[in-house]
Amino acid sequence: MIELLFFTKRESQKILCNVLSICDRLFAEYYNCFSELKTYLKKGIEYEIRVASEAGSTFEIVWYIFFSRFIKLGIKDFDSLIKNENIRNNNFYRSMFLSGQEIYKDSGIHLFKRPNEFTGKKLASLVAVFD
């Protein structure tokens, strides 16, 4: 089912947050029954990061990094997965990679929260997928 969700994402990047929200729900629901689910998702997200890097999609990479940290997949070396230098130098990516605001630093507006600030929350409720 997870693979089918990622196939639908390939039709439209706009639904990536929905796909990841459903994956979050599946992970929370079935992790105790299927211990290999974490490894499966980790490998899948690493693959998707590589594909997004080749496509030059900072948007997708930022979502994948947030998601992997949100559900604690244990991916540590994002830079080794991302070969695209334009993405590596992108301030939006740098913000997510460093877990700190790298864009509009002097604006007084706080655009980023660290994934650990969302403990106990479901991604679907944060992005209002089912509302």
Side-chain angles (χ1 to χ4, degrees):
M1 182 157 81
I2 290 172
E3 287 182 26
L4 289 174
L5 287 168
F6 279 98
F7 282 131
T8 62
K9 184 272 312 172
R10 292 181 195 265
E11 292 298 316
S12 174
Q13 285 184 344
K14 295 176 188 177
I15 66 165
L16 180 57
C17 66
N18 300 24
V19 167
L20 295 177
S21 296
I22 295 168
C23 288
D24 175 43
R25 288 235 169 158
L26 291 170
F27 184 74
E29 180 82 22
Y30 295 105
Y31 178 67
N32 291 331
C33 300
F34 302 101
S35 59
E36 66 274 5
L37 185 57
K38 184 174 184 175
T39 303
Y40 178 80
L41 271 174
K42 180 180 178 181
K43 287 181 181 180
I45 295 298
E46 288 173 338
Y47 171 78
E48 291 295 332
I49 288 172
R50 283 190 213 96
V51 170
S53 174
E54 290 174 15
S57 180
T58 304
F59 170 81
E60 287 185 63
I61 289 175
V62 166
W63 265 109
Y64 293 132
I65 291 172
F66 176 80
F67 178 74
S68 68
R69 289 178 173 170
F70 186 81
I71 65 169
K72 299 173 180 75
L73 289 178
I75 301 171
K76 300 287 186 208
D77 193 11
F78 293 104
D79 267 344
S80 70
L81 299 171
I82 301 164
K83 304 298 182 196
N84 188 315
E85 286 300 318
N86 290 331
I87 293 173
R88 286 178 160 189
N89 294 325
N90 182 291
N91 283 335
F92 189 47
Y93 164 75
R94 302 289 315 153
S95 295
M96 187 57 63
F97 179 73
L98 299 171
S99 292
Q101 188 163 330
E102 293 294 312
I103 55 176
Y104 307 117
K105 285 184 182 181
D106 59 349
S107 69
I109 299 170
H110 301 287
L111 299 174
F112 293 90
K113 290 185 178 183
R114 296 172 188 259
N116 63 3
E117 294 179 53
F118 298 106
T119 301
K121 297 184 180 182
K122 295 291 169 218
L123 187 55
S125 64
L126 294 172
V127 295
V129 169
F130 301 111
D131 289 343

